[in-house]
């Protein structure tokens, strides 16, 4: 048996196990309204000032088991978008490498980036003459990870240990570089968000959702 076949079998087994476990005790909505999304990331992040917006109504139609938090942050002419998704349903979490091509964006580059406060997945997309720089990562309970499948594994592991959340995805998108390199702006802001998350996790303020 090749390593690829072995890997495929392991992934399949994990997905089946996760599906079974998540169906046993998953709440009706798939999200937990007791999770205060707004308090996880401050509106003021270092030199970045944020403003909150209502997410498009169609997002809820597409991911009915999820809750969304959408903010725009600015700093000296640089503008970034922060999208947070919360859910106890693993099906609510996707990679931008899957979502954005569906909106007409072509992936240009992907990989991981180690920042001072954590690791993220980096990606770039193009559409006609537009260029999009993205950073994204996930949180399951108190476990941060840059990758979607590790996030789903962490959700499964937590579930088996009696913890069903909180579960988040975080996506940073540079909307206006403001004369800076978009990659640098994305990394700087993502690191500020990670710093705030780590401070919250280490403060003891986070109550894990147990079932």
């Amino acid at each position: 048996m090749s390593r690829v076949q072995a890997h495929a079998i392991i992934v399949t087994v994990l997905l089946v196990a996760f599906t079974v476990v998540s169906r046993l005790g998953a709440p009706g909505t798939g999200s937990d309204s007791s999770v205060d999304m707004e308090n996880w990331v401050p509106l003021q992040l270092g030199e970045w000032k944020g403003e909150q917006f209502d997410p498009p109504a169609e997002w809820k139609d597409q991911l009915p088991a999820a809750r969304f938090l959408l903010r725009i942050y600015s700093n000296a002419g640089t503008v970034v978008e922060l999208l947070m998704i919360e859910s106890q349903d693993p099906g609510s979490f996707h990679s931008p490498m899957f979502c954005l091509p569906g909106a007409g964006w072509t992936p240009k580059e992907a990989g991981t980036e180690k920042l001072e406060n954590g690791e993220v997945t980096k990606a770039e997309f193009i559409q006609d003459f537009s260029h999009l720089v993205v950073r994204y990562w996930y949180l399951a309970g108190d476990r941060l990870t840059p990758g979607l499948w590790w996030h789903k594994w962490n959700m499964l592991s937590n579930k088996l240990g009696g913890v069903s959340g909180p579960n988040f995805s975080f996506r940073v998108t540079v909307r206006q570089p403001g004369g800076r390199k978009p990659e640098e702006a994305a990394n700087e802001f993502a690191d500020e968000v990670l710093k705030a998350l780590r401070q919250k996790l280490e403060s003891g303020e986070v109550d894990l959702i147990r079932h």
Side-chain angles (χ1 to χ4, degrees), residues 112-153:
T112 56
E113 184 87 18
K114 290 186 177 180
L115 307 175
E116 182 177 349
N117 291 286
E119 190 173 4
V120 300
T121 298
K122 62 180 181 180
E124 295 184 28
F125 302 84
I126 56 173
Q127 186 183 83
D128 298 327
F129 298 103
S130 299
H131 177 219
L132 214 56
V133 173
V134 175
R135 300 290 183 267
Y136 62 96
W137 66 97
Y138 306 86
L139 174 68
D142 57 0
R143 304 179 184 185
L144 286 163
T145 182
L148 175 63
W149 291 110
W150 274 116
H151 174 59
K152 295 197 175 190
W153 164 255

Side-chain angles (χ1 to χ4, degrees), residues 11-198:
V11 169
T12 302
V13 170
L14 288 176
L15 286 174
V16 171
F18 190 85
T19 300
V20 172
V21 172
S22 12
R23 291 294 179 267
L24 295 174
T29 62
S31 64
D32 193 314
S33 59
S34 68
V35 177
D36 190 350
M37 297 180 70
E38 295 185 9
N39 285 337
W40 273 83
V41 179
L43 278 170
Q44 181 78 39
L45 279 171
E47 299 298 320
W48 298 87
K49 296 182 179 180
E51 184 177 358
Q52 195 156 308
F53 294 86
D54 293 330
E58 58 265 26
W59 289 4
K60 191 64 178 177
D61 296 332
Q62 295 167 356
L63 296 175
R67 292 192 300 145
F68 305 88
L69 186 144
L70 179 64
R71 289 179 179 167
I72 298 294
Y73 286 81
S74 59
N75 177 11
T78 302
V79 179
V80 301
E81 175 189 283
L82 172 65
L83 172 62
M84 294 171 53
I85 297 177
E86 183 273 328
S87 180
Q88 292 184 45
D89 180 358
S92 297
F93 298 105
H94 302 91
S95 162
M97 300 299 289
F98 170 80
C99 302
L100 289 177
W105 291 92
T106 301
K108 178 183 176 184
E109 181 183 349
T112 56
E113 184 87 18
K114 290 186 177 180
L115 307 175
E116 182 177 349
N117 291 286
E119 190 173 4
V120 300
T121 298
K122 62 180 181 180
E124 295 184 28
F125 302 84
I126 56 173
Q127 186 183 83
D128 298 327
F129 298 103
S130 299
H131 177 219
L132 214 56
V133 173
V134 175
R135 300 290 183 267
Y136 62 96
W137 66 97
Y138 306 86
L139 174 68
D142 57 0
R143 304 179 184 185
L144 286 163
T145 182
L148 175 63
W149 291 110
W150 274 116
H151 174 59
K152 295 197 175 190
W153 164 255
N154 287 339
M155 289 181 69
L156 169 61
S157 177
N158 287 344
K159 191 84 171 180
L160 293 173
V163 175
S164 58
N167 305 298
F168 290 106
S169 67
F170 300 86
R171 188 178 82 191
V172 172
T173 306
V174 178
R175 293 300 182 183
Q176 182 175 315
R180 303 179 56 185
K181 292 182 178 180
E183 296 81 8
E184 292 178 358
N187 288 343
E188 179 188 309
F189 181 77
D191 202 44
E192 287 285 358
V193 177
L194 284 164
K195 180 180 178 181
L197 293 175
R198 290 200 176 277

